[in-house]
């Protein structure tokens, strides 16, 4: 880990920035913030540093936006996650980015999270190509569906 936090975007090739952002975010996701708050903050800040560097590129893909949004969501910054996601045209948004959008909307208390989550589930069910590429589609569907369905259930409780 020490080497990872010493590297800056200027030290590696631009094409690796999004990979560094996502790798650091994934490490943070599996660490417990309450066990080592300082390490959590260092790693997520480094992930976001690489994400911001990627945002300086002329065009970012929906994959890039999803990875950067995931970093902001992990940090607890739904507003910044939505700013990144909203840079992607609606017609380019797949279920992966809509999943992160629903998370971010839910995080900031936006009622649109419910509709976004439903749309993400609908697109996931239609995405045969991606589902066939997953190592274990049943596990992936269970994780995504559970997260989105929990979000929907919680939002509907708040409305009632």
């Amino acid at each position: 880990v020490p080497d990872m936090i010493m590297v800056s975007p200027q030290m590696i090739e631009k094409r690796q920035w999004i990979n560094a952002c996502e790798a650091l975010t994934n490490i943070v996701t599996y660490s417990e913030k309450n066990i080592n708050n300082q390490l959590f903050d260092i790693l997520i800040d480094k992930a976001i540093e690489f994400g911001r560097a990627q945002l300086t590129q002329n065009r970012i893909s929906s994959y890039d936006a999803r990875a950067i949004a995931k970093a902001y969501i992990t940090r607890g910054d739904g507003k910044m996650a939505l700013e990144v996601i909203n840079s992607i045209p609606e017609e380019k948004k797949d279920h992966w980015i809509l999943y992160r959008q629903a998370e971010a909307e839910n995080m900031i208390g936006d009622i649109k999270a419910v509709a976004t989550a439903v749309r993400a589930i609908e697109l996931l069910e239609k995405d045969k190509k991606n589902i066939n590429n997953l190592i274990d589609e049943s596990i992936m569907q269970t994780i995504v569906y559970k997260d989105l369905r929990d979000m929907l259930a919680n939002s509907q409780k708040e409305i009632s």
Side-chain angles (χ1 to χ4, degrees):
V1 173
D3 290 344
M4 293 176 77
I5 59 177
M6 299 305 294
V7 174
S8 71
Q10 295 73 28
M11 297 171 76
I12 64 172
E13 295 177 43
K14 290 179 181 181
R15 66 184 178 87
Q16 295 299 331
W17 289 350
I18 200 64
N19 296 329
C21 175
E22 182 145 52
L24 288 161
T25 303
N26 287 340
I27 292 168
V28 170
T29 300
Y30 292 107
S31 71
E32 295 275 339
K33 183 171 182 169
N34 53 358
I35 291 175
N36 191 335
N37 201 18
Q38 184 179 9
L39 180 61
F40 180 94
D41 290 341
I42 289 169
L43 291 174
I44 198 61
D45 287 348
K46 184 57 69 172
I48 288 172
E49 180 183 346
F50 279 99
R52 284 185 182 143
Q54 185 69 21
L55 289 172
T56 66
Q57 301 307 295
N58 289 338
R59 293 176 16 205
I60 64 166
S61 68
S62 67
Y63 175 83
D64 297 343
R66 183 206 48 80
I68 297 164
K70 179 179 175 183
Y72 279 115
I73 289 166
T74 301
R75 181 201 253 170
D77 192 346
K79 183 178 177 189
M80 283 302 298
L82 286 173
E83 282 188 33
V84 173
I85 290 167
N86 288 333
S87 69
I88 301 300
E90 285 300 316
E91 66 275 4
K92 300 276 186 184
K93 290 182 180 179
D94 60 13
H95 61 84
W96 293 109
I97 198 160
L98 289 172
Y99 169 66
R100 295 298 174 192
Q101 181 176 329
E103 272 188 305
E105 288 169 346
N106 190 52
M107 185 177 279
I108 65 168
D110 189 333
I111 192 78
K112 289 187 287 187
V114 175
T116 304
V118 168
R119 203 164 123 225
I121 290 170
E122 290 169 353
L123 287 177
L124 176 63
E125 290 171 343
K126 292 178 184 176
D127 189 359
K128 301 291 185 217
K129 181 185 98 180
N130 226 344
I131 288 175
N132 291 335
N133 290 333
L134 294 172
I135 293 170
D136 187 345
E137 77 178 65
S138 62
I139 291 173
M140 191 60 191
Q141 284 180 342
T142 301
I143 292 167
V144 172
Y145 280 128
K146 182 184 179 320
D147 287 350
L148 291 173
R149 291 185 199 287
D150 288 351
M151 189 184 310
L152 287 169
N154 290 336
S155 295
Q156 288 174 349
K157 282 179 193 174
E158 291 173 13
I159 294 171
S160 300

